[in-house]
Amino acid sequence: MAATLRNPAKQLVLACVLLLTCVHMTLSARNFLALYFGESDNPSRLRFAARLAPANAELQYRLGKYSAFVENDPATAIRFYQSAARLNPYNARYWLDLASAQQITEDSAGQQHSLENAVRANPTNPDVAWEAGNFFLVQGDLERAFSLMRVVVENQTNMAPLALRLCWRSTPEVDTILSKVVPSSPEPHLAFLDFLIQQKNIEGANKVWQRLVSLHQAFEIRYVFEYVKFLISEGQVDQARGAWQQSAPLLGLSAYLPSTNLIVNGQFSQDVLNGAFDWNYQIQRGVALALDPVQFHSAQRSLSITFDSAGLSDAGVYQIVPVEPNLQYEFTAYYKADSMQGAGGPVITIRDFYSSQTYFIGEEMKDTDIWKPVSTVFTTGPGSKLLVVRIERVPSGNAIRGRLWVDDFELTPK
């Protein structure tokens, strides 16, 4: 065995193995100590860890954060951030924090360079695009800013409203923002539409709506309700009716379009949408609404209204109906009632939505075990374009109890 060890070649191999083992153990120990001390918030330990592992970008970055936020020393923080970014240029956070420190030191050129590197490191990250986009907005480089804000809008839905608002402040032009900031998906369009509704910008909202429906993609029905409600509040009845007709095939609502009968869902065969041009309802204390599959006039369901109230003005259910001015209309509906008590029963009314001009107040719907018709013929006024059909209490205010069923509402031009 001794003779074997005296072989020069084998002695050299053994020495190399021992040397490499020592080097590996030394490096492992340094890395272990660097990791151990690097977890500390103590600056001395952090610096010691950085000396042990000078190629560790994260340790340089942590020293930069300590300098920036604890020691309030942005100049020193910049040196550490730059070191971290050189060691790992693919970490966008290093570049962003470097840009923030450069902003404090008013190094605009350096800040721009760092932000560009952050975008290159992670071009689809909305946080990166947000910070870079804000910088370019301030600098007045709207082309670059809008391209970055588009990344935000496309990848971070909850940040889209704020991004669109900032872009609007820079350029309040709907066409520009639609083409440069809003990607071709429903959610960003809906966020922009909501913003323009808040601004009461009818023309702009209409442009966004037309672009939205041209995508031929479904979206939540509540946005249609909000848009139609906005248009009606602004007196834009034709646009509201058009929006409802456009959205119906996209959202599977074709059954809710008016036909020769202008009352939508007049037989209550469809679920009540509680929005737009279908039946709407408001929860009223002492009133219970339900679709009744047992009692009906001609189809398969009726609307059941149960009253148990000390006093109310209406049942809370209504429908708004677009009409033409100076035109004669015929209206019919049917009802049954049971155990109705109280002075003044419920009645069906038709009034002008905007002026409240009364076109019809029906008979009191009292107890009857057969379906009775309510009907009238009336002519709309010269400015009438929207009616509201309600079930009201005339006179209002007195206690009322009992159950009412209504069905087969029909409104047609004569």
Side-chain angles (χ1 to χ4, degrees):
M1 186 68 176
T4 302
L5 290 175
R6 282 195 293 271
N7 185 305
K10 291 185 177 181
Q11 287 179 337
L12 180 61
V13 171
L14 180 60
C16 290
V17 170
L18 290 173
L19 178 61
L20 291 173
T21 301
C22 290
V23 170
H24 175 73
M25 291 179 65
T26 300
L27 293 175
S28 297
R30 287 173 65 92
N31 287 332
F32 173 79
L33 290 172
L35 289 173
Y36 175 76
F37 288 111
E39 293 298 321
S40 173
D41 291 329
N42 185 298
S44 299
R45 292 191 169 198
L46 277 176
R47 292 188 180 95
F48 178 64
R51 286 196 296 272
L52 289 173
N56 188 313
E58 188 64 21
L59 290 174
Q60 299 294 320
Y61 173 67
R62 292 193 64 194
L63 281 169
K65 289 188 70 175
Y66 185 87
S67 299
F69 297 106
V70 179
E71 296 180 335
N72 196 25
D73 183 359
T76 301
I78 286 173
R79 291 200 300 272
F80 285 120
Y81 287 148
Q82 286 174 332
S83 178
R86 281 195 300 270
L87 291 167
N88 182 7
Y90 304 105
N91 189 317
R93 175 48 53 189
Y94 297 168
W95 292 110
L96 288 180
D97 284 0
L98 173 57
S100 296
Q102 289 167 327
Q103 182 183 20
I104 295 173
T105 60
E106 300 182 349
D107 181 6
S108 181
Q111 182 185 2
Q112 179 174 344
H113 175 75
S114 298
L115 288 171
E116 293 283 12
N117 281 319
V119 172
R120 277 193 287 269
N122 200 336
T124 60
N125 186 305
D127 294 326
V128 174
W130 172 256
E131 294 199 32
N134 273 276
F135 171 82
F136 288 109
L137 279 175
V138 173
Q139 296 297 312
D141 187 349
L142 299 185
E143 192 73 25
R144 185 75 174 112
F146 286 175
S147 68
L148 290 164
M149 287 301 178
R150 186 185 182 97
V151 174
V152 176
V153 171
E154 192 167 15
N155 294 280
Q156 192 79 25
T157 304
N158 63 343
M159 292 178 67
L162 183 55
L164 290 167
R165 190 175 298 115
L166 287 176
C167 294
W168 181 262
R169 288 177 185 174
S170 301
T171 304
E173 298 174 3
V174 173
D175 293 329
T176 299
I177 294 177
L178 275 176
S179 64
K180 297 184 180 299
V181 182
V182 180
S184 297
S185 57
E187 290 76 14
H189 286 80
L190 293 167
F192 196 20
L193 179 66
D194 183 63
F195 169 75
L196 292 171
I197 288 174
Q198 293 176 28
Q199 300 292 313
K200 296 187 180 299
N201 188 326
I202 298 171
E203 183 181 356
N206 186 49
K207 286 183 178 180
V208 176
W209 174 262
Q210 296 303 328
R211 168 92 173 267
L212 172 65
V213 296
S214 72
L215 299 176
H216 302 291
Q217 298 181 44
F219 49 88
E220 289 185 56
I221 192 174
R222 65 184 178 91
Y223 292 105
V224 185
F225 293 164
E226 292 168 4
Y227 182 50
V228 168
K229 183 178 180 180
F230 163 67
L231 291 173
I232 289 174
S233 71
E234 298 296 318
Q236 306 298 310
V237 176
D238 290 339
Q239 284 183 244
R241 182 164 46 183
W244 185 242
Q245 292 170 341
Q246 288 175 312
S247 62
L250 287 175
L251 306 182
L253 301 176
S254 296
Y256 293 90
L257 291 176
S259 56
T260 52
N261 178 13
L262 301 182
I263 299 288
V264 171
N265 199 13
Q267 295 180 325
F268 302 98
S269 55
Q270 306 292 326
D271 290 340
V272 174
L273 297 179
N274 193 26
F277 295 109
D278 186 32
W279 294 102
N280 288 258
Y281 60 85
Q282 298 169 333
I283 302 301
Q284 302 275 59
R285 187 175 181 179
V287 180
L289 304 173
L291 295 176
D292 192 333
V294 177
Q295 298 282 357
F296 51 85
H297 178 247
S298 64
Q300 297 179 337
R301 292 192 301 196
S302 67
L303 177 65
S304 165
I305 308 173
T306 303
F307 297 97
D308 187 7
S309 172
L312 50 82
S313 60
D314 64 74
V317 60
Y318 64 94
Q319 185 170 140
I320 52 178
V321 186
V323 292
E324 300 297 327
N326 300 316
L327 193 62
Q328 193 176 63
Y329 290 88
E330 184 174 4
F331 171 79
T332 58
Y334 290 82
Y335 75 93
K336 286 178 66 174
D338 181 49
S339 303
M340 297 298 297
Q341 302 174 25
V347 299
I348 296 174
T349 65
I350 302 175
R351 306 184 194 273
D352 188 278
F353 181 84
Y354 294 108
S355 70
S356 297
Q357 178 184 349
T358 300
Y359 289 112
F360 174 64
I361 298 179
E363 64 183 55
E364 290 185 18
M365 293 182 283
K366 298 180 179 179
D367 286 1
T368 173
D369 57 1
I370 63 171
W371 288 96
K372 293 188 65 175
V374 176
S375 64
T376 188
V377 175
F378 63 93
T379 302
T380 55
S384 186
K385 53 186 176 180
L386 195 65
L387 305 180
V388 56
V389 180
R390 291 184 187 273
I391 297 171
E392 298 186 22
R393 179 82 185 287
V394 179
S396 62
N398 296 323
I400 182 172
R401 289 179 177 83
R403 192 172 185 185
L404 173 71
W405 293 267
V406 291
D407 198 3
D408 274 339
F409 283 75
E410 186 170 356
L411 180 67
T412 56
K414 276 185 71 69

